[in-house]
Amino acid sequence: QDEEWFSMVHVAIEARGGSALQAMVDAHAAVINLDAQAITLALERAADALEGCTNILRRMEERCDPYIYHTRVRLPMGGWNDSNLFPQGLGYQGVSGEQQQRKRERFFGETGAQSSLIPAIDSSLGLQCGAGVKGDANAAGLVPYLMTMRQYMPPKHRELIMDLEPGGRALRAACEEHGIETSAAFDMVLKRLWEFRTLHMELTHKFVRRWDKRDDEEVLGTGGTVFTPYLRAHRTATKNHCIRG
């Protein structure tokens, strides 16, 4: 039950978040059309959808117990890139080709960073990959890690994230120009995204961090990252990107 529920919550977030991404694409189109009202309405739809994602994530503990997750569900999710268990990677038997059989693979474990939904939302808002890590030594590896995670996404998803980046910068500039109502709608999207990231941080503490007595910089997530500094940097950057604070 715990593993199934854990997966179902993530699938439900992806489904609900799709409308947020569509709304952000609509906001970009409204910028091109110089339609301030359409920009505001699209941003309001995006904020509502992100709030829905947070409400879904809030249900995680209904059928997924933190202790069961940490001791049973989480372990098989871990990868073996830079793993002490398999420092040379893993070879796969029975695959086609003698050369392929001799090749050892190294993969990161399952992680939300491999999903294209939130990175696409970030790009659509002009929130740069790795924003917030400057001056934070513990989060210095975030940018190359996030770029590596894009290789785990479908190619079309990677292309979308890159295509949204310039439009995200234009959207923020347009919202600043069009006045209080539009900039407030832009900031509300960021607020909802900040709330989602805050809840995510709280759940990582309940499900992972609380069971480990080591320092934050020593506790790795299933994706192989020192996740506490990384998540904190993401959340800080989201708040700092607001137009009116």
Side-chain angles (χ1 to χ4, degrees):
Q1 168 182 299
D2 298 80
E3 183 176 2
E4 291 179 358
W5 186 254
F6 181 83
S7 298
M8 286 176 62
V9 167
H10 284 82
V11 171
I13 289 172
E14 294 283 325
R16 184 69 180 93
S19 57
L21 184 54
Q22 180 60 61
M24 293 306 300
V25 171
D26 292 343
H28 284 205
V31 171
I32 295 173
N33 294 328
L34 304 177
D35 190 336
Q37 183 178 9
I39 295 172
T40 301
L41 292 174
L43 291 172
E44 289 174 348
R45 285 175 20 232
D48 287 343
L50 286 172
E51 184 177 26
C53 291
T54 302
N55 290 336
I56 293 170
L57 183 59
R58 193 170 282 116
R59 298 185 62 186
M60 180 63 77
E61 292 182 83
E62 286 184 15
R63 299 183 188 178
C64 184
D65 180 84
Y67 180 75
I68 297 298
Y69 170 80
H70 185 72
T71 56
R72 300 182 189 178
V73 178
R74 182 173 182 263
L75 293 178
M77 291 176 162
W80 51 89
N81 190 69
D82 297 328
S83 169
N84 292 329
L85 294 175
F86 309 108
Q88 303 302 319
L90 286 179
Y92 289 84
Q93 295 180 344
V95 295
S96 60
E98 182 179 347
Q99 182 178 1
Q100 183 65 31
Q101 291 188 33
R102 293 198 302 266
K103 182 180 178 181
R104 291 182 175 271
E105 300 285 359
R106 296 180 180 179
F107 294 114
F108 285 94
E110 178 183 335
T111 170
Q114 293 163 2
S115 165
S116 49
L117 175 61
I118 299 300
I121 297 292
D122 283 342
S123 288
S124 70
L125 291 164
L127 188 56
Q128 294 183 349
C129 174
V133 303
K134 186 176 181 180
D136 187 345
N138 295 321
L142 179 59
V143 175
Y145 173 77
L146 290 177
M147 298 307 293
T148 299
M149 290 302 98
R150 290 189 182 184
Q151 301 307 310
Y152 285 70
M153 301 174 185
K156 292 294 184 181
H157 290 206
R158 294 199 300 268
E159 292 176 12
L160 176 62
I161 293 171
M162 295 177 65
D163 289 344
L164 287 171
E165 289 174 353
R169 294 190 292 270
L171 173 63
R172 190 179 190 280
C175 289
E176 286 185 282
E177 180 182 343
H178 285 301
I180 295 176
E181 186 177 2
T182 306
S183 60
F186 182 87
D187 286 353
M188 182 56 69
V189 178
L190 286 163
K191 179 181 178 181
R192 297 304 183 213
L193 188 57
W194 182 89
E195 290 169 350
F196 181 85
R197 286 184 157 135
T198 296
L199 178 59
H200 183 206
M201 283 190 65
E202 292 172 359
L203 290 175
T204 59
H205 178 80
K206 289 182 179 179
F207 281 70
V208 180
R209 187 67 188 90
R210 65 183 289 198
W211 311 106
D212 200 311
K213 302 303 181 184
R214 293 175 295 172
D215 293 336
D216 287 346
E217 294 73 24
E218 299 179 272
V219 182
L220 301 182
T222 51
T225 64
V226 284
F227 62 88
T228 299
Y230 281 16
L231 296 179
R232 188 183 299 123
H234 272 142
R235 188 180 64 168
T236 300
T238 302
K239 183 177 182 180
N240 291 343
H241 195 59
C242 288
I243 296 173
R244 298 182 179 275

